Amino acid sequence: MLGEVLKLVRQYHRLDQKSAAEKLDIPASYLSEMERGKKEPTLRVIEKYQNTFDLPSSSLLFIAESLQSGSKKEISSKAIKILKWASE
């Protein structure tokens, strides 16, 4: 689920995987695998998202946990609100 959240953050910022990977200083292949759920992001990668996108890591984890237990439509609207809040 965390991979879905990372993908949402990337898409919200209108970045393709290659551009996002460059900003995050991680291999594009690793980013792709995380977004597809093939690999779990490390704490270091989560911190890079926090610093690059100015988004608290707790928000990333909250959205991921909510996706596991709730309605995707309801969670999506909450996630967008958090991303907008973080972008202000």
Side-chain angles (χ1 to χ4, degrees):
M1 291 296 161
L2 190 52
E4 288 182 51
V5 175
L6 301 182
K7 182 177 181 178
L8 177 64
V9 170
R10 176 181 61 77
Q11 290 174 334
Y12 177 81
H13 289 280
R14 301 186 190 277
L15 295 170
D16 60 23
Q17 285 184 336
K18 182 180 178 187
S19 300
E22 288 173 3
K23 286 182 87 102
L24 294 163
D25 194 29
I26 61 174
S29 59
Y30 181 51
L31 177 58
S32 174
E33 290 176 332
M34 285 189 301
E35 289 185 356
R36 291 181 293 138
K38 301 283 183 185
K39 290 198 175 177
E40 288 295 321
T42 63
L43 182 56
R44 185 171 179 216
V45 169
I46 294 170
E47 288 174 349
K48 286 182 179 205
Y49 269 82
Q50 176 179 310
N51 295 331
T52 302
F53 298 111
D54 195 28
L55 182 65
S57 55
S58 58
S59 294
L60 296 171
L61 298 173
F62 170 77
I63 297 167
E65 288 176 4
S66 298
L67 278 173
Q68 284 182 318
S69 62
S71 161
K72 285 193 176 190
K73 183 177 180 183
E74 186 178 311
I75 302 307
S76 296
S77 65
K78 288 181 183 178
I80 296 299
K81 287 178 184 177
I82 290 171
L83 290 170
K84 286 181 180 178
W85 170 78
S87 298
E88 293 177 345

